[in-house]
Amino acid sequence: MTGAPSAVGSALVARIETSFAKQAFMTTLGARLVRVAPGEVEIALPVSAHLCQQHGFVHAGAVSTIADSAAGYAALTAMPEGAGILTAEFKINLLAPATGDELRALGKVVKAGRTLTLATAEVFAISGGARRLCAMLTATCMAIAGREGVRD
């Protein structure tokens, strides 16, 4: 990850990194956390053949997964420590084929509430340094507190 975060920022980054590391599916896909800031999270996914559908594009399931995680983790940055976050619903628009060297999902909080948070994620296909928007997601995320097994 990049940047020199403050003490508060360091705690937030560590919290998100710890939670992200628990997601076995992110490891299976090869996704990694690139950046964490209050209200924003960026996830990178190297493009490889095992993620592609029959036409050679990254499968919509993989695109949706990194977009959902980026939006969800952006929402988690707005929640108190110890709270968990679960996606209640999302909608994704696939705008262009996901091809190139890498995909980047940039999640951002639109409006954070005590219980519900609206977040978005833009997914960019990166090829030779050029970025092309290939998907947009909107998500409603729900804060969960005091439930067994759901925290950070």
Side-chain angles (χ1 to χ4, degrees):
M1 300 237 300
T2 59
S6 66
V8 171
S10 293
L12 178 64
V13 169
R15 178 179 170 212
I16 301 302
E17 285 178 336
T18 299
S19 180
F20 188 85
K22 295 175 190 175
Q23 284 204 32
F25 195 45
M26 290 293 117
T27 302
T28 297
L29 291 176
R32 70 185 193 288
L33 199 55
V34 175
R35 189 173 65 82
V36 175
E40 292 189 9
V41 167
E42 188 171 4
I43 296 173
L45 178 67
V47 172
S48 62
H50 79 279
L51 299 174
C52 293
Q53 42 85 298
Q54 70 276 18
H55 303 297
F57 308 135
V58 175
H59 195 282
V63 174
S64 298
T65 297
I66 64 168
D68 174 44
S69 286
Y73 277 115
L76 185 60
T77 69
M79 296 298 116
E81 190 171 340
I85 198 94
L86 293 173
T87 301
E89 67 83 31
F90 73 73
K91 179 194 185 303
I92 190 161
N93 291 91
L94 303 166
L95 306 171
T99 61
D101 306 315
E102 180 178 75
L103 301 182
R104 289 281 179 116
L106 176 58
K108 292 184 181 183
V109 169
V110 174
K111 182 174 186 323
R114 277 189 325 232
T115 305
L116 298 178
T117 296
L118 178 65
T120 63
E122 295 178 319
V123 180
F124 296 92
I126 301 172
S127 184
R131 290 180 1 149
R132 185 180 80 254
L133 183 64
C134 66
M136 286 193 67
L137 172 137
T138 57
T140 304
C141 301
M142 183 174 180
I144 307 291
R147 183 170 177 177
E148 183 69 27
V150 181
R151 75 173 264 124
D152 288 336

